[in-house]
């Protein structure tokens, strides 16, 4: 199952896809109701001259998958009321997260309450630890083939997915550290 995600203008293709296909879920971060509505916020009546290409408020009603909307209240580019309006127009299982301190381009991982925790609870994803695991030294005595440093990649090279991973000195194969959020093993 696939969770489709869009942020800002990326919400438009994400919404179109989720409105036309059954997906596991849809995540919209800093979405807008329509391009014309965004222009109206900044240009007033001149927005009426803009041809509408992104009717997100209409599309969200056709989505049948669960929808998570994250929109910061400090967003000055696309006011958070757009996310609120999409939430109200949505007819499926939904959740709106509107952090008080979040701006349009705030790093979603800056605070777990912005994105990570809502994702885990809303979509029932596997649990996630926000602290490094501390393993006693005696547990490092045994050499396992999957602990070699050259078999590990940073999480961002594996689609940013979190996972439990152990790493050691290059070539030694000995585990020196275990992290539950920073790295993930590369599986052959």
């Amino acid at each position: 199952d696939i969770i489709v995600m869009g942020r800002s203008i990326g919400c438009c293709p994400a919404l179109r896809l989720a409105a036309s296909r059954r997906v596991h879920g849809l995540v919209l971060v800093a979405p807008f109701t329509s391009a014309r509505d965004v222009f109206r916020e900044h240009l007033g009546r001149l927005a009426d001259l803009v041809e509408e290409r992104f009717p997100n408020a209409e599309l969200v009603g056709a989505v049948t998958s669960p929808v998570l909307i994250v929109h910061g209240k400090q967003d000055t580019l696309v006011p958070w009321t757009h996310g609120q309006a999409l939430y109200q127009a949505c007819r499926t299982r939904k959740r709106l997260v509107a952090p008080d301190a979040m701006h349009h381009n705030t790093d979603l991982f800056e605070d777990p309450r912005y994105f990570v925790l809502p994702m885990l609870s809303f979509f029932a994803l596997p649990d996630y630890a926000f602290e490094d695991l501390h393993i006693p030294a005696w547990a490092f005595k045994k050499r396992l083939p999957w602990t070699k440093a050259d078999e590990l990649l940073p999480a961002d090279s594996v689609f940013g997915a979190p996972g439990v991973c152990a790493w050691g000195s290059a070539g030694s194969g000995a585990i020196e550290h275990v992290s539950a959020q920073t790295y993930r093993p590369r599986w052959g």
Side-chain angles (χ1 to χ4, degrees), residues 145-155 157-158 164-169 174-177 183-187:
W146 57 270
T147 60
K148 295 178 186 171
D150 60 350
E151 292 181 4
L152 305 175
L153 291 173
S157 64
V158 188
V164 176
C165 175
W167 70 89
S169 303
I175 302 172
E176 293 176 4
H177 184 78
Y183 291 88
R184 177 179 175 172
R186 173 179 60 193
W187 304 106

Side-chain angles (χ1 to χ4, degrees), residues 1-4 18 21-27 63-68 92-93 119 122-126:
D1 291 328
I2 296 173
I3 297 175
V4 178
R21 302 268 194 273
R22 177 76 178 149
V23 295
H24 185 72
L26 173 65
V27 180
V63 175
T64 58
S65 305
V67 177
L68 172 64
T92 186
R93 189 169 75 86
M119 280 285 295
F122 187 70
F123 292 112
L125 299 174

Side-chain angles (χ1 to χ4, degrees), residues 29-106:
V29 180
F32 50 87
T33 53
S34 73
R36 188 174 287 147
D37 290 344
V38 173
F39 289 132
R40 189 169 286 117
E41 297 279 346
H42 299 283
L43 302 173
R45 291 184 48 120
L46 288 174
D48 295 332
L49 302 173
V50 174
E51 180 183 343
E52 186 56 66
R53 294 183 179 260
F54 305 115
N56 294 343
E58 295 171 24
L59 289 172
V60 76
V63 175
T64 58
S65 305
V67 177
L68 172 64
I69 299 173
V70 179
H71 207 139
K73 291 186 176 180
Q74 297 299 313
D75 190 336
T76 57
L77 184 60
V78 179
W80 82 278
T81 53
H82 285 249
Q84 187 178 35
L86 289 173
Y87 174 81
Q88 291 168 348
C90 184
R91 295 188 295 232
T92 186
R93 189 169 75 86
K94 58 191 175 180
R95 181 171 181 190
L96 173 65
V97 178
D100 290 329
M102 187 175 158
H103 297 266
H104 190 75
N105 290 315
T106 297

